[in-house]
Amino acid sequence: MTRTPPLPDAVPASGDRRRHPAPAHLVFFHGPMDCGKSTLALQVDHNQSRQGRYGLLLTQGDRSGTPQISSRVGLQRAAVELDPGTDVRLLVRDRWATGHRVDYLIVDEAQFLSGEQVEQLAELVDESHVDVYAFGLTTDFRTRLFPGTQRLFELADDVQRVQVEVLCWCGLPGLLNARVVGGAMVREGATVVVADTAPAVAEPAPTEDAVRYQVLCRRHYTRGQLGPMPTGPGQLALR
Ligand SMILES: [Zn+2]
């Protein structure tokens, strides 16, 4: 007489997702200067915290010069300042060790992250199920991807261009950040601190004139034309 084996009372292990109930994500929002990235970062933080989740805000060289994420529309929140040597995994583990919850990270000025730091963020997502929302500039004044931006393009689960709110003087969407020294556009020099940000020290400039950045459409970037009102609204002077 044969015995019928008992029916399994659960789905086999291959279908078991219970150990990872909520896969986390690495999401990258990018755009030119002045496109509203920091405002969006604070909005995402607000939406997440309203759901009872705990976030940690990170930034580098915020325009206010103090560790916070601030936007041009006047919102601001305290943030932890990163430097190129910060291990983001240790930063989060230190929080956990002192009894703080960290469900998600908001990373502003993400273009300044090193490739290694982006990899650390990806590890936090995959191994610790921390959601990461990163915000940064797409390209520098030479139209090249920032290193942090490039690594985020390579590793992020989701990459979104921020709805462009900033226009070139001609009225077309502004996509590229031009560096202007002494009233003229320059295309060479250190990548440094383009930022959105600021108490940036520009590399030796040909004159004493302030370095500023202006968002242009691709055509006017290529032509090097800054328009009839180079000091008009929507342009940023770095102090
Ligand atoms: Zn234009």
Side-chain angles (χ1 to χ4, degrees):
M1 185 168 131
T2 56
R3 296 182 53 145
T4 310
L7 288 172
D9 58 4
V11 177
S14 63
D16 184 6
R17 300 179 65 186
R18 282 174 296 183
R19 260 176 280 169
H20 305 289
H25 294 95
L26 172 56
V27 186
F28 180 45
F29 299 87
H30 68 97
M33 292 178 356
D34 275 336
C35 74
K37 291 182 301 301
S38 297
T39 306
L40 180 60
L42 293 172
Q43 183 67 50
V44 169
D45 174 55
H46 176 74
N47 293 348
Q48 291 285 321
S49 65
R50 210 169 45 180
Q51 295 171 35
R53 307 187 79 211
Y54 289 82
L56 182 60
L57 282 62
L58 309 174
T59 191
Q60 285 191 54
D62 178 70
R63 71 174 65 84
S64 66
T66 57
Q68 62 179 9
I69 296 176
S70 63
S71 72
R72 292 199 173 81
V73 297
L75 304 171
Q76 59 187 47
R77 272 210 58 193
V80 173
E81 179 85 12
L82 295 180
D83 64 53
T86 306
D87 186 326
V88 189
R89 295 165 302 185
L90 296 181
L91 194 68
V92 171
R93 284 174 198 152
D94 283 351
R95 291 282 159 148
W96 285 335
T98 53
H100 294 87
R101 265 174 68 184
V102 180
D103 300 316
Y104 64 93
L105 297 178
I106 302 281
V107 187
D108 201 15
E109 310 295 358
Q111 72 274 5
F112 295 138
L113 294 171
S114 67
E116 238 178 3
Q117 285 172 323
V118 174
E119 288 156 21
Q120 291 161 7
L121 292 174
E123 188 180 320
L124 281 169
V125 170
D126 295 335
E127 303 299 337
S128 305
H129 310 292
V130 175
D131 283 305
V132 175
Y133 304 93
F135 302 80
L137 295 177
T138 317
T139 53
D140 65 16
F141 73 103
R142 300 167 306 180
T143 73
R144 305 296 179 184
L145 292 176
F146 282 91
T149 300
Q150 181 183 339
R151 200 70 185 122
L152 282 159
F153 273 33
E154 292 162 348
L155 294 183
D157 297 293
D158 188 13
V159 174
Q160 297 188 26
R161 175 177 264 172
V162 176
Q163 185 71 40
V164 172
E165 298 167 7
V166 57
L167 301 178
C168 179
W169 55 270
C170 70
L172 286 176
L175 295 176
L176 300 171
N177 306 304
R179 179 182 285 177
V180 182
V181 179
M185 188 173 146
V186 295
R187 299 168 192 271
E188 300 297 328
T191 303
V192 244
V193 194
V194 172
D196 214 8
T197 95
V201 179
E203 77 279 11
T207 73
E208 287 298 307
D209 291 334
V211 174
R212 68 181 178 85
Y213 292 88
Q214 181 174 343
V215 177
L216 296 173
C217 70
R218 187 174 58 222
R219 178 160 160 262
H220 286 127
Y221 177 93
T222 304
R223 292 180 170 199
Q225 293 174 338
L226 299 173
M229 296 184 300
T231 56
Q235 292 154 17
L236 176 68
L238 297 185
R239 281 163 294 192

